[in-house]
Amino acid sequence: MPLKVLRTEPRYLAIQRYVQELIEGPDYAPGDNIPSERVLADKLGANRMTVRKAIDRLVAAGLLERNSTSGTRLPPPKVTRPLNPRTSLGISRLVQISGGTPASRLLYFEAGRASASVAARLRIDEGADLMIFRRLWMVDTTPFCIETSHIPAVRVPGLAAEDLTSGRSLNALLRERYGISVFSGEREIGVVHCNEQEAKLLQLAPGDAALVLRLVSADTAGRPIEYLRSINHPQLVLFRTEMGEAQP
Amino acid sequence: MPLKVLRTEPRYLAIQRYVQELIEGPDYAPGDNIPSERVLADKLGANRMTVRKAIDRLVAAGLLERNSTSGTRLPPPKVTRPLNPRTSLGISRLVQISGGTPASRLLYFEAGRASASVAARLRIDEGADLMIFRRLWMVDTTPFCIETSHIPAVRVPGLAAEDLTSGRSLNALLRERYGISVFSGEREIGVVHCNEQEAKLLQLAPGDAALVLRLVSADTAGRPIEYLRSINHPQLVLFRTEMGEAQP
DNA sequence: GATCCAAATTGGTATATACCAGTTTGGACA
DNA sequence: TGTCCAAACTGGTATATACCAATTTGGATC
Protein backbone atom coordinates (compact mmCIF):
# COMPACT_ATOMS: atom_id res chain seq x y z
CA MET A 1 0.00 0.00 0.00
CA PRO A 2 1.73 3.16 -1.19
CA LEU A 3 1.90 6.27 0.92
CA LYS A 4 -0.86 8.72 0.19
CA VAL A 5 0.88 11.28 -1.91
CA LEU A 6 -0.02 14.87 -1.17
CA ARG A 7 -1.32 16.13 -4.47
CA THR A 8 0.07 19.47 -5.44
CA GLU A 9 -2.30 22.23 -4.52
CA PRO A 10 -4.58 23.29 -7.35
CA ARG A 11 -3.78 26.68 -8.72
CA TYR A 12 -7.24 28.07 -7.99
CA LEU A 13 -6.78 27.30 -4.29
CA ALA A 14 -3.55 29.25 -4.17
CA ILE A 15 -5.25 32.13 -5.92
CA GLN A 16 -8.21 31.88 -3.57
CA ARG A 17 -5.87 32.15 -0.61
CA TYR A 18 -4.05 35.04 -2.23
CA VAL A 19 -7.28 36.97 -2.74
CA GLN A 20 -8.60 36.08 0.70
CA GLU A 21 -5.42 37.36 2.33
CA LEU A 22 -5.62 40.42 0.17
CA ILE A 23 -9.12 41.35 1.24
CA GLU A 24 -8.57 40.44 4.88
CA GLY A 25 -5.44 42.56 4.95
CA PRO A 26 -5.20 46.20 5.96
CA ASP A 27 -5.69 47.60 2.47
CA TYR A 28 -9.30 46.60 2.03
CA ALA A 29 -12.47 47.67 3.81
CA PRO A 30 -16.11 46.62 3.34
CA GLY A 31 -17.44 48.08 0.12
CA ASP A 32 -14.06 48.22 -1.62
CA ASN A 33 -13.66 46.73 -5.07
CA ILE A 34 -10.96 44.17 -5.65
CA PRO A 35 -8.97 44.24 -8.88
CA SER A 36 -10.90 42.95 -11.87
CA GLU A 37 -10.64 39.33 -12.91
CA ARG A 38 -8.61 40.26 -15.94
CA VAL A 39 -6.16 42.33 -13.93
CA LEU A 40 -5.70 39.58 -11.35
CA ALA A 41 -5.23 36.96 -14.01
CA ASP A 42 -2.63 39.15 -15.65
CA LYS A 43 -0.79 39.91 -12.44
CA LEU A 44 -0.77 36.29 -11.31
CA GLY A 45 0.05 34.92 -14.71
CA ALA A 46 -3.04 32.72 -14.65
CA ASN A 47 -6.03 32.41 -16.90
CA ARG A 48 -9.08 34.50 -16.17
CA MET A 49 -11.22 31.37 -15.80
CA THR A 50 -8.93 30.05 -13.09
CA VAL A 51 -9.05 33.34 -11.22
CA ARG A 52 -12.79 33.27 -11.69
CA LYS A 53 -13.09 29.89 -10.05
CA ALA A 54 -11.18 31.13 -7.01
CA ILE A 55 -13.41 34.19 -6.76
CA ASP A 56 -16.50 32.05 -7.29
CA ARG A 57 -15.62 30.14 -4.15
CA LEU A 58 -15.06 33.29 -2.13
CA VAL A 59 -18.37 34.66 -3.36
CA ALA A 60 -20.13 31.43 -2.45
CA ALA A 61 -18.56 31.74 0.98
CA GLY A 62 -19.88 35.26 1.36
CA LEU A 63 -16.47 36.92 1.49
CA LEU A 64 -17.05 38.78 -1.75
CA GLU A 65 -19.93 40.06 -3.82
CA ARG A 66 -20.13 40.39 -7.56
CA ASN A 67 -21.78 43.33 -9.26
CA SER A 68 -22.10 42.38 -12.86
CA THR A 69 -20.70 45.40 -14.57
CA SER A 70 -19.12 47.32 -11.76
CA GLY A 71 -16.67 44.85 -10.33
CA THR A 72 -16.32 42.53 -7.36
CA ARG A 73 -16.26 43.98 -3.89
CA LEU A 74 -16.21 43.22 -0.20
CA PRO A 75 -19.81 43.03 1.02
CA PRO A 76 -20.82 46.39 2.42
CA PRO A 77 -22.54 46.43 5.82
CA LYS A 78 -26.05 45.00 5.53
CA VAL A 79 -29.33 46.47 6.68
CA THR A 80 -29.93 43.55 8.95
CA ARG A 81 -26.45 43.85 10.42
CA PRO A 82 -25.13 40.31 10.27
CA LEU A 83 -22.77 40.63 13.22
CA ASN A 84 -19.97 38.32 12.45
CA PRO A 85 -17.92 37.35 15.48
CA ARG A 86 -16.95 33.78 14.70
CA THR A 87 -19.88 32.80 12.54
CA SER A 88 -18.15 33.45 9.31
CA LEU A 89 -19.54 32.15 6.11
CA GLY A 90 -22.61 30.31 5.11
CA ILE A 91 -24.43 31.25 8.24
CA SER A 92 -24.69 34.76 9.51
CA ARG A 93 -25.83 35.57 12.97
CA LEU A 94 -28.35 38.36 13.17
CA VAL A 95 -28.22 40.06 16.49
CA GLN A 96 -31.39 41.96 17.17
CA ILE A 97 -29.78 44.84 18.96
CA SER A 98 -29.98 48.39 17.75
CA GLY A 99 -26.45 49.19 16.69
CA GLY A 100 -22.95 49.20 18.04
CA THR A 101 -19.97 46.95 17.55
CA PRO A 102 -19.63 43.56 19.18
CA ALA A 103 -16.84 43.17 21.71
CA SER A 104 -15.64 40.17 23.64
CA ARG A 105 -14.37 39.42 27.12
CA LEU A 106 -12.04 36.48 27.65
CA LEU A 107 -13.49 34.22 30.33
CA TYR A 108 -10.71 31.66 30.39
CA PHE A 109 -7.78 30.33 28.39
CA GLU A 110 -6.01 27.05 29.06
CA ALA A 111 -4.29 24.01 27.63
CA GLY A 112 -6.26 20.79 27.62
CA ARG A 113 -6.75 17.46 25.91
CA ALA A 114 -9.19 16.32 23.28
CA SER A 115 -12.19 14.34 24.45
CA ALA A 116 -13.46 11.65 22.12
CA SER A 117 -16.17 13.87 20.67
CA VAL A 118 -13.91 16.87 20.11
CA ALA A 119 -11.21 14.64 18.64
CA ALA A 120 -13.70 13.21 16.17
CA ARG A 121 -14.85 16.62 15.07
CA LEU A 122 -11.30 17.88 14.60
CA ARG A 123 -10.13 14.59 13.09
CA ILE A 124 -7.27 14.26 15.56
CA ASP A 125 -6.37 11.63 18.15
CA GLU A 126 -8.22 11.46 21.42
CA GLY A 127 -6.12 13.06 24.13
CA ALA A 128 -4.24 15.32 21.69
CA ASP A 129 -3.17 18.68 23.07
CA LEU A 130 -5.63 21.50 22.64
CA MET A 131 -5.85 25.17 23.36
CA ILE A 132 -9.24 25.88 24.87
CA PHE A 133 -10.68 29.28 25.54
CA ARG A 134 -14.03 30.86 26.20
CA ARG A 135 -15.26 34.31 25.37
CA LEU A 136 -18.37 36.31 26.11
CA TRP A 137 -19.61 38.47 23.25
CA MET A 138 -21.71 41.55 23.76
CA VAL A 139 -22.96 44.66 22.05
CA ASP A 140 -22.46 47.60 24.37
CA THR A 141 -23.43 46.09 27.70
CA THR A 142 -25.75 43.43 26.33
CA PRO A 143 -24.26 39.91 26.20
CA PHE A 144 -25.62 37.76 23.40
CA CYS A 145 -23.29 34.79 23.08
CA ILE A 146 -20.75 32.58 24.87
CA GLU A 147 -18.19 30.92 22.66
CA THR A 148 -15.87 28.08 23.59
CA SER A 149 -13.09 27.29 21.11
CA HIS A 150 -10.93 24.19 20.78
CA ILE A 151 -7.86 24.37 18.56
CA PRO A 152 -5.21 21.65 18.15
CA ALA A 153 -2.15 22.96 19.97
CA VAL A 154 0.19 21.85 17.18
CA ARG A 155 -1.52 24.26 14.81
CA VAL A 156 -1.02 27.29 17.04
CA PRO A 157 2.28 27.00 18.95
CA GLY A 158 2.81 29.90 21.30
CA LEU A 159 -0.78 31.06 21.31
CA ALA A 160 -1.36 33.08 24.45
CA ALA A 161 -4.28 34.66 26.22
CA GLU A 162 -2.98 38.12 25.29
CA ASP A 163 -3.48 37.26 21.63
CA LEU A 164 -7.19 37.01 22.22
CA THR A 165 -7.51 40.27 24.06
CA SER A 166 -5.46 42.33 21.65
CA GLY A 167 -8.49 43.29 19.62
CA ARG A 168 -7.29 41.39 16.58
CA SER A 169 -9.68 38.79 15.26
CA LEU A 170 -8.79 35.15 15.67
CA ASN A 171 -8.96 34.71 11.91
CA ALA A 172 -6.45 37.49 11.38
CA LEU A 173 -4.17 35.94 13.98
CA LEU A 174 -4.38 32.50 12.42
CA ARG A 175 -3.60 33.94 9.04
CA GLU A 176 -0.82 36.32 9.94
CA ARG A 177 1.05 34.32 12.52
CA TYR A 178 0.27 30.76 11.48
CA GLY A 179 -0.44 31.11 7.79
CA ILE A 180 -3.85 29.51 8.15
CA SER A 181 -6.75 30.87 6.13
CA VAL A 182 -10.03 29.80 7.66
CA PHE A 183 -12.42 29.10 4.87
CA SER A 184 -14.95 26.31 5.13
CA GLY A 185 -16.91 24.63 7.85
CA GLU A 186 -19.70 22.43 9.12
CA ARG A 187 -22.29 23.78 11.47
CA GLU A 188 -25.03 22.35 13.61
CA ILE A 189 -27.73 24.33 15.29
CA GLY A 190 -29.89 23.06 18.09
CA VAL A 191 -31.48 23.92 21.39
CA VAL A 192 -29.86 23.55 24.78
CA HIS A 193 -30.81 24.60 28.23
CA CYS A 194 -28.49 26.98 30.03
CA ASN A 195 -26.59 25.84 33.03
CA GLU A 196 -26.14 28.20 35.91
CA GLN A 197 -22.97 29.87 34.62
CA GLU A 198 -24.29 30.30 31.09
CA ALA A 199 -27.55 31.72 32.32
CA LYS A 200 -25.79 34.20 34.53
CA LEU A 201 -23.54 35.39 31.71
CA LEU A 202 -26.41 35.78 29.27
CA GLN A 203 -28.71 37.30 31.87
CA LEU A 204 -31.17 34.45 31.65
CA ALA A 205 -32.55 32.04 34.19
CA PRO A 206 -30.92 28.62 34.62
CA GLY A 207 -32.75 26.10 32.45
CA ASP A 208 -33.86 28.69 29.91
CA ALA A 209 -33.55 27.54 26.32
CA ALA A 210 -30.76 28.90 24.12
CA LEU A 211 -29.57 28.36 20.57
CA VAL A 212 -26.42 26.32 20.34
CA LEU A 213 -24.16 26.48 17.31
CA ARG A 214 -21.41 23.94 16.84
CA LEU A 215 -18.92 24.85 14.19
CA VAL A 216 -15.95 22.96 12.84
CA SER A 217 -13.98 25.33 10.66
CA ALA A 218 -11.29 24.28 8.25
CA ASP A 219 -8.58 25.87 6.17
CA THR A 220 -8.61 26.34 2.44
CA ALA A 221 -7.51 22.76 1.93
CA GLY A 222 -10.20 21.39 4.22
CA ARG A 223 -8.09 20.53 7.28
CA PRO A 224 -10.02 21.13 10.52
CA ILE A 225 -8.70 24.07 12.51
CA GLU A 226 -11.14 24.84 15.25
CA TYR A 227 -14.13 23.39 17.01
CA LEU A 228 -16.36 26.08 18.39
CA ARG A 229 -19.44 25.74 20.55
CA SER A 230 -21.45 28.86 21.01
CA ILE A 231 -24.45 29.43 23.24
CA ASN A 232 -26.67 32.20 21.91
CA HIS A 233 -29.30 34.30 23.58
CA PRO A 234 -32.66 32.96 22.36
CA GLN A 235 -34.38 36.31 21.94
CA LEU A 236 -31.45 38.31 20.64
CA VAL A 237 -29.93 35.94 18.11
CA LEU A 238 -31.19 34.42 14.88
CA PHE A 239 -29.20 32.39 12.36
CA ARG A 240 -29.62 32.92 8.68
CA THR A 241 -28.34 31.03 5.69
CA GLU A 242 -28.87 31.70 2.05
CA MET A 243 -28.34 29.64 -1.00
CA GLY A 244 -29.01 29.96 -4.66
CA GLU A 245 -29.05 33.49 -5.93
CA ALA A 246 -25.76 34.31 -4.32
CA GLN A 247 -24.35 31.29 -6.08
CA PRO A 248 -22.16 31.89 -9.10
CA MET B 1 -37.55 54.11 -18.71
CA PRO B 2 -37.63 50.96 -20.83
CA LEU B 3 -39.32 47.79 -19.65
CA LYS B 4 -37.00 45.41 -17.90
CA VAL B 5 -36.34 42.85 -20.56
CA LEU B 6 -36.37 39.26 -19.42
CA ARG B 7 -32.92 38.07 -20.37
CA THR B 8 -32.92 34.75 -22.07
CA GLU B 9 -32.22 32.00 -19.62
CA PRO B 10 -28.59 30.95 -19.46
CA ARG B 11 -27.94 27.56 -20.90
CA TYR B 12 -26.49 26.18 -17.68
CA LEU B 13 -29.74 26.95 -15.85
CA ALA B 14 -31.76 25.00 -18.39
CA ILE B 15 -29.33 22.12 -18.05
CA GLN B 16 -29.46 22.37 -14.28
CA ARG B 17 -33.25 22.09 -14.40
CA TYR B 18 -33.01 19.20 -16.83
CA VAL B 19 -30.69 17.28 -14.53
CA GLN B 20 -32.68 18.16 -11.43
CA GLU B 21 -35.86 16.89 -13.04
CA LEU B 22 -33.99 13.80 -14.14
CA ILE B 23 -32.79 12.90 -10.67
CA GLU B 24 -36.05 13.80 -8.98
CA GLY B 25 -37.94 11.68 -11.44
CA PRO B 26 -38.90 8.04 -11.02
CA ASP B 27 -35.80 6.62 -12.69
CA TYR B 28 -33.30 7.64 -10.03
CA ALA B 29 -32.85 6.57 -6.43
CA PRO B 30 -30.32 7.64 -3.78
CA GLY B 31 -26.93 6.18 -4.61
CA ASP B 32 -27.54 6.04 -8.36
CA ASN B 33 -25.01 7.52 -10.73
CA ILE B 34 -26.15 10.08 -13.25
CA PRO B 35 -24.75 10.01 -16.78
CA SER B 36 -21.21 11.30 -17.01
CA GLU B 37 -20.52 14.91 -17.85
CA ARG B 38 -19.30 13.97 -21.28
CA VAL B 39 -22.36 11.91 -22.05
CA LEU B 40 -24.71 14.66 -20.89
CA ALA B 41 -22.84 17.27 -22.87
CA ASP B 42 -23.06 15.07 -25.91
CA LYS B 43 -26.75 14.30 -25.49
CA LEU B 44 -27.67 17.93 -24.84
CA GLY B 45 -25.42 19.31 -27.51
CA ALA B 46 -23.64 21.51 -25.01
CA ASN B 47 -20.06 21.81 -23.94
CA ARG B 48 -18.82 19.74 -21.04
CA MET B 49 -17.84 22.87 -19.13
CA THR B 50 -21.38 24.20 -19.36
CA VAL B 51 -22.82 20.91 -18.14
CA ARG B 52 -20.22 20.99 -15.40
CA LYS B 53 -21.37 24.37 -14.21
CA ALA B 54 -24.95 23.13 -13.94
CA ILE B 55 -23.83 20.07 -11.99
CA ASP B 56 -21.56 22.22 -9.81
CA ARG B 57 -24.61 24.12 -8.66
CA LEU B 58 -26.58 20.97 -7.92
CA VAL B 59 -23.62 19.61 -5.97
CA ALA B 60 -23.32 22.85 -4.02
CA ALA B 61 -27.01 22.54 -3.25
CA GLY B 62 -26.52 19.02 -1.96
CA LEU B 63 -28.65 17.35 -4.62
CA LEU B 64 -25.69 15.49 -6.06
CA GLU B 65 -22.32 14.21 -4.96
CA ARG B 66 -19.18 13.90 -7.01
CA ASN B 67 -16.83 10.95 -6.69
CA SER B 68 -13.77 11.94 -8.57
CA THR B 69 -13.17 8.91 -10.70
CA SER B 70 -16.36 6.98 -10.33
CA GLY B 71 -18.99 9.42 -11.43
CA THR B 72 -21.60 11.72 -9.97
CA ARG B 73 -24.43 10.28 -7.94
CA LEU B 74 -27.43 11.05 -5.82
CA PRO B 75 -26.29 11.25 -2.20
CA PRO B 76 -26.80 7.85 -0.56
CA PRO B 77 -28.56 7.78 2.81
CA LYS B 78 -26.28 9.23 5.49
CA VAL B 79 -25.29 7.72 8.80
CA THR B 80 -26.93 10.60 10.56
CA ARG B 81 -30.04 10.28 8.41
CA PRO B 82 -30.76 13.76 7.22
CA LEU B 83 -34.50 13.36 6.95
CA ASN B 84 -35.56 15.73 4.31
CA PRO B 85 -39.21 16.69 4.45
CA ARG B 86 -39.14 20.28 3.26
CA THR B 87 -35.70 21.28 4.41
CA SER B 88 -34.05 20.67 1.11
CA LEU B 89 -30.71 22.12 0.33
CA GLY B 90 -28.07 23.89 2.26
CA ILE B 91 -29.54 22.85 5.54
CA SER B 92 -30.38 19.31 6.40
CA ARG B 93 -32.49 18.38 9.33
CA LEU B 94 -31.10 15.57 11.40
CA VAL B 95 -33.80 13.75 13.23
CA GLN B 96 -32.44 11.78 16.12
CA ILE B 97 -34.80 8.88 15.82
CA SER B 98 -33.68 5.34 15.22
CA GLY B 99 -34.93 4.59 11.73
CA GLY B 100 -38.06 4.59 9.69
CA THR B 101 -39.46 6.90 7.06
CA PRO B 102 -41.02 10.25 7.83
CA ALA B 103 -44.70 10.61 7.09
CA SER B 104 -47.02 13.57 7.32
CA ARG B 105 -50.59 14.25 8.38
CA LEU B 106 -52.43 17.20 6.90
CA LEU B 107 -53.76 19.38 9.70
CA TYR B 108 -55.48 21.95 7.54
CA PHE B 109 -55.64 23.36 4.04
CA GLU B 110 -57.29 26.64 3.07
CA ALA B 111 -57.19 29.74 0.91
CA GLY B 112 -56.10 32.96 2.57
CA ARG B 113 -54.49 36.32 2.01
CA ALA B 114 -50.93 37.50 2.45
CA SER B 115 -50.15 39.43 5.59
CA ALA B 116 -47.56 42.17 5.30
CA SER B 117 -44.76 39.98 6.60
CA VAL B 118 -45.59 37.00 4.39
CA ALA B 119 -46.03 39.28 1.37
CA ALA B 120 -42.59 40.77 1.95
CA ARG B 121 -40.97 37.38 2.17
CA LEU B 122 -42.64 36.15 -1.00
CA ARG B 123 -42.16 39.48 -2.77
CA ILE B 124 -45.88 39.76 -3.61
CA ASP B 125 -48.54 42.34 -2.77
CA GLU B 126 -50.10 42.40 0.66
CA GLY B 127 -53.51 40.75 0.52
CA ALA B 128 -52.60 38.58 -2.48
CA ASP B 129 -54.28 35.18 -2.59
CA LEU B 130 -52.41 32.36 -0.91
CA MET B 131 -52.82 28.68 -0.37
CA ILE B 132 -52.01 27.90 3.24
CA PHE B 133 -51.65 24.48 4.73
CA ARG B 134 -50.17 22.86 7.79
CA ARG B 135 -48.74 19.42 8.21
CA LEU B 136 -47.45 17.35 11.10
CA TRP B 137 -44.38 15.25 10.36
CA MET B 138 -43.51 12.12 12.25
CA VAL B 139 -41.34 9.04 12.19
CA ASP B 140 -43.47 6.06 13.07
CA THR B 141 -45.58 7.48 15.85
CA THR B 142 -43.13 10.16 16.99
CA PRO B 143 -43.95 13.68 15.80
CA PHE B 144 -40.94 15.89 15.27
CA CYS B 145 -42.12 18.90 13.31
CA ILE B 146 -45.09 21.09 12.37
CA GLU B 147 -44.86 22.84 9.04
CA THR B 148 -47.02 25.68 7.78
CA SER B 149 -46.68 26.57 4.11
CA HIS B 150 -47.75 29.68 2.22
CA ILE B 151 -47.77 29.57 -1.57
CA PRO B 152 -49.04 32.34 -3.89
CA ALA B 153 -52.29 30.99 -5.33
CA VAL B 154 -51.43 32.16 -8.84
CA ARG B 155 -48.48 29.81 -8.89
CA VAL B 156 -50.52 26.71 -8.05
CA PRO B 157 -54.00 27.00 -9.61
CA GLY B 158 -56.18 24.06 -8.71
CA LEU B 159 -54.05 22.86 -5.82
CA ALA B 160 -56.23 20.77 -3.53
CA ALA B 161 -55.89 19.13 -0.17
CA GLU B 162 -55.88 15.73 -1.84
CA ASP B 163 -52.64 16.64 -3.56
CA LEU B 164 -50.93 16.85 -0.21
CA THR B 165 -52.17 13.55 1.07
CA SER B 166 -51.39 11.56 -2.04
CA GLY B 167 -47.94 10.66 -0.78
CA ARG B 168 -46.25 12.63 -3.51
CA SER B 169 -43.81 15.23 -2.31
CA LEU B 170 -44.71 18.87 -2.72
CA ASN B 171 -41.59 19.40 -4.77
CA ALA B 172 -42.58 16.63 -7.16
CA LEU B 173 -46.05 18.15 -7.46
CA LEU B 174 -44.71 21.62 -8.15
CA ARG B 175 -42.42 20.25 -10.78
CA GLU B 176 -44.75 17.88 -12.53
CA ARG B 177 -47.96 19.83 -12.50
CA TYR B 178 -46.73 23.40 -12.43
CA GLY B 179 -43.31 23.16 -14.02
CA ILE B 180 -41.61 24.71 -11.02
CA SER B 181 -38.24 23.39 -9.87
CA VAL B 182 -37.57 24.42 -6.30
CA PHE B 183 -33.90 25.15 -6.00
CA SER B 184 -32.68 27.97 -3.79
CA GLY B 185 -33.75 29.59 -0.57
CA GLU B 186 -33.17 31.72 2.48
CA ARG B 187 -33.51 30.28 5.93
CA GLU B 188 -33.64 31.62 9.43
CA ILE B 189 -33.35 29.54 12.55
CA GLY B 190 -34.34 30.70 15.98
CA VAL B 191 -36.05 29.71 19.18
CA VAL B 192 -39.76 30.02 19.89
CA HIS B 193 -41.96 28.85 22.68
CA CYS B 194 -44.74 26.46 21.80
CA ASN B 195 -48.32 27.54 22.09
CA GLU B 196 -50.86 25.09 23.36
CA GLN B 197 -51.66 23.51 20.03
CA GLU B 198 -48.05 23.14 18.97
CA ALA B 199 -47.07 21.66 22.30
CA LYS B 200 -49.85 19.14 22.11
CA LEU B 201 -48.91 18.05 18.61
CA LEU B 202 -45.22 17.68 19.46
CA GLN B 203 -45.93 16.07 22.81
CA LEU B 204 -44.34 18.91 24.72
CA ALA B 205 -45.59 21.24 27.42
CA PRO B 206 -46.97 24.65 26.44
CA GLY B 207 -44.19 27.22 26.70
CA ASP B 208 -41.43 24.69 26.01
CA ALA B 209 -38.74 25.94 23.67
CA ALA B 210 -38.62 24.68 20.08
CA LEU B 211 -36.48 25.33 17.03
CA VAL B 212 -38.20 27.43 14.42
CA LEU B 213 -37.08 27.38 10.80
CA ARG B 214 -38.39 29.97 8.38
CA LEU B 215 -37.70 29.14 4.77
CA VAL B 216 -38.40 31.09 1.62
CA SER B 217 -37.74 28.79 -1.29
CA ALA B 218 -37.41 29.90 -4.86
CA ASP B 219 -37.30 28.36 -8.30
CA THR B 220 -34.24 27.96 -10.47
CA ALA B 221 -34.54 31.55 -11.63
CA GLY B 222 -34.83 32.87 -8.07
CA ARG B 223 -38.56 33.68 -7.98
CA PRO B 224 -40.05 33.00 -4.52
CA ILE B 225 -42.38 30.03 -4.45
CA GLU B 226 -43.15 29.19 -0.86
CA TYR B 227 -42.83 30.57 2.61
CA LEU B 228 -42.57 27.83 5.17
CA ARG B 229 -42.52 28.06 8.94
CA SER B 230 -41.63 24.91 10.75
CA ILE B 231 -41.65 24.24 14.46
CA ASN B 232 -39.22 21.48 15.40
CA HIS B 233 -38.96 19.30 18.44
CA PRO B 234 -36.00 20.64 20.46
CA GLN B 235 -34.60 17.28 21.49
CA LEU B 236 -35.25 15.36 18.32
CA VAL B 237 -34.15 17.80 15.68
CA LEU B 238 -30.84 19.41 14.80
CA PHE B 239 -30.01 21.54 11.79
CA ARG B 240 -26.80 21.14 9.90
CA THR B 241 -25.17 23.11 7.17
CA GLU B 242 -21.90 22.53 5.42
CA MET B 243 -19.77 24.65 3.26
CA GLY B 244 -16.40 24.38 1.66
CA GLU B 245 -15.35 20.87 0.86
CA ALA B 246 -18.60 20.09 -0.85
CA GLN B 247 -18.07 23.17 -2.93
CA PRO B 248 -16.85 22.76 -6.48
C1' DG C 1 -17.88 74.42 -15.58
C1' DA C 2 -21.58 71.38 -17.24
C1' DT C 3 -23.40 67.95 -20.67
C1' DC C 4 -23.37 64.22 -23.51
C1' DC C 5 -21.69 60.41 -26.12
C1' DA C 6 -18.32 57.03 -27.50
C1' DA C 7 -14.89 54.03 -25.88
C1' DA C 8 -13.03 51.17 -22.41
C1' DT C 9 -14.00 48.12 -18.63
C1' DT C 10 -16.58 44.67 -15.96
C1' DG C 11 -18.52 40.40 -14.89
C1' DG C 12 -21.50 36.53 -17.30
C1' DT C 13 -21.81 32.98 -20.54
C1' DA C 14 -20.28 29.48 -23.78
C1' DT C 15 -17.18 26.62 -26.35
C1' DA C 16 -13.00 23.98 -27.49
C1' DT C 17 -9.18 21.66 -25.99
C1' DA C 18 -5.72 19.26 -23.27
C1' DC C 19 -3.83 16.66 -19.75
C1' DC C 20 -3.95 14.23 -15.09
C1' DA C 21 -4.80 10.63 -11.69
C1' DG C 22 -7.59 7.43 -10.08
C1' DT C 23 -11.39 3.66 -10.98
C1' DT C 24 -13.83 0.44 -13.68
C1' DT C 25 -14.19 -2.66 -17.21
C1' DG C 26 -13.25 -6.16 -20.49
C1' DG C 27 -10.68 -9.28 -22.54
C1' DA C 28 -6.44 -11.96 -23.00
C1' DC C 29 -4.16 -15.41 -20.87
C1' DA C 30 -3.17 -19.16 -17.71
C1' DT D 1 -12.93 -20.75 -14.29
C1' DG D 2 -10.07 -17.51 -12.31
C1' DT D 3 -6.31 -13.77 -12.61
C1' DC D 4 -4.29 -9.91 -14.13
C1' DC D 5 -3.30 -6.01 -16.94
C1' DA D 6 -4.21 -2.62 -20.36
C1' DA D 7 -7.63 0.26 -22.19
C1' DA D 8 -11.54 3.05 -21.49
C1' DC D 9 -13.81 6.13 -18.61
C1' DT D 10 -14.47 9.41 -14.67
C1' DG D 11 -14.26 13.85 -12.66
C1' DG D 12 -10.55 17.72 -11.71
C1' DT D 13 -7.73 21.25 -13.41
C1' DA D 14 -6.03 24.71 -16.57
C1' DT D 15 -5.76 27.56 -20.62
C1' DA D 16 -7.34 30.18 -24.68
C1' DT D 17 -10.82 32.52 -26.84
C1' DA D 18 -15.05 34.91 -28.03
C1' DC D 19 -19.02 37.50 -27.50
C1' DC D 20 -22.71 39.99 -24.63
C1' DA D 21 -24.96 43.60 -21.83
C1' DA D 22 -24.43 46.93 -18.58
C1' DT D 23 -21.72 50.33 -16.31
C1' DT D 24 -18.04 53.46 -15.84
C1' DT D 25 -14.81 56.55 -17.69
C1' DG D 26 -12.80 60.20 -20.42
C1' DG D 27 -12.81 63.56 -23.40
C1' DA D 28 -14.87 66.51 -26.79
C1' DT D 29 -18.16 69.88 -27.16
C1' DC D 30 -21.18 73.42 -25.73
Side-chain angles (χ1 to χ4, degrees), chain B residues 159-174:
Chain B
L159 184 69
E162 295 76 61
D163 295 322
L164 300 168
T165 51
S166 64
R168 262 205 311 190
S169 81
L170 180 60
N171 280 359
L173 188 73
L174 289 173

Side-chain angles (χ1 to χ4, degrees), chain A residues 51-67:
Chain A
V51 170
R52 204 173 152 73
K53 173 155 189 171
I55 293 180
D56 275 349
R57 293 168 54 94
L58 292 170
V59 169
L63 286 173
L64 288 174
E65 275 182 8
R66 291 184 191 281
N67 280 69

Side-chain angles (χ1 to χ4, degrees), chain A:
Chain A
M1 181 150 48
L3 273 181
K4 190 82 169 188
V5 174
L6 220 27
R7 301 209 331 94
T8 60
E9 180 185 60
R11 186 104 198 246
Y12 70 82
L13 276 191
I15 296 174
Q16 177 187 324
R17 240 184 316 102
Y18 171 85
V19 175
Q20 185 173 351
E21 290 173 15
L22 193 69
I23 62 180
E24 290 177 347
D27 298 336
Y28 284 87
D32 287 357
N33 269 38
I34 65 170
S36 78
E37 295 172 356
R38 280 168 248 251
V39 168
L40 280 173
D42 195 38
K43 176 179 338 196
L44 299 173
N47 187 273
R48 182 183 158 210
M49 290 321 240
T50 307
V51 170
R52 204 173 152 73
K53 173 155 189 171
I55 293 180
D56 275 349
R57 293 168 54 94
L58 292 170
V59 169
L63 286 173
L64 288 174
E65 275 182 8
R66 291 184 191 281
N67 280 69
S68 189
T69 67
S70 67
T72 302
R73 64 172 56 106
L74 310 224
K78 291 296 192 317
V79 196
T80 43
R81 345 194 96 261
L83 291 182
N84 234 13
R86 323 288 311 101
T87 315
S88 58
L89 318 194
I91 292 189
S92 51
R93 174 162 47 200
L94 307 180
V95 180
Q96 328 264 305
I97 303 180
S98 44
T101 308
S104 72
R105 197 179 93 211
L106 187 62
L107 299 178
Y108 70 74
F109 178 95
E110 57 187 32
R113 293 183 175 281
S115 67
S117 82
V118 172
R121 291 180 194 266
L122 289 174
R123 285 193 258 142
I124 55 178
D125 292 330
E126 190 174 343
D129 289 319
L130 293 179
M131 299 310 301
I132 304 174
F133 50 91
R134 174 174 292 191
R135 293 193 277 190
L136 177 69
W137 286 92
M138 51 189 96
V139 171
D140 299 330
T141 59
T142 309
F144 64 89
C145 157
I146 306 166
E147 293 191 335
T148 310
S149 289
H150 306 71
I151 304 182
V154 292
R155 302 299 294 269
V156 287
L159 184 68
E162 294 77 60
D163 296 322
L164 300 168
T165 51
S166 65
R168 263 206 307 189
S169 80
L170 180 61
N171 279 0
L173 187 75
L174 288 174
R175 188 179 56 254
E176 289 160 22
R177 188 186 301 171
Y178 301 106
I180 297 169
S181 287
V182 173
F183 172 65
S184 66
E186 279 190 17
R187 302 164 202 77
E188 282 179 3
I189 299 174
V191 172
V192 292
H193 293 278
C194 294
N195 62 27
E196 210 159 322
Q197 189 205 7
E198 291 161 351
K200 191 174 173 189
L201 288 167
L202 293 178
Q203 303 176 356
L204 296 168
D208 275 3
L211 274 171
V212 59
L213 168 74
R214 298 184 193 87
L215 162 67
V216 178
S217 57
D219 62 18
T220 314
R223 287 185 298 266
I225 299 295
E226 178 194 13
Y227 168 56
L228 172 78
R229 180 172 181 270
S230 90
I231 308 289
N232 296 269
H233 192 292
Q235 274 83 54
L236 298 178
V237 174
L238 202 59
F239 291 104
R240 165 174 298 178
T241 122
E242 287 183 45
M243 199 274 98
E245 292 189 284
Q247 284 278 329

Side-chain angles (χ1 to χ4, degrees), chain B residues 228-242:
Chain B
L228 172 77
R229 181 173 181 270
S230 92
I231 308 289
N232 297 268
H233 193 290
Q235 275 83 55
L236 298 178
V237 174
L238 202 59
F239 292 104
R240 166 174 296 179
T241 121
E242 287 183 48

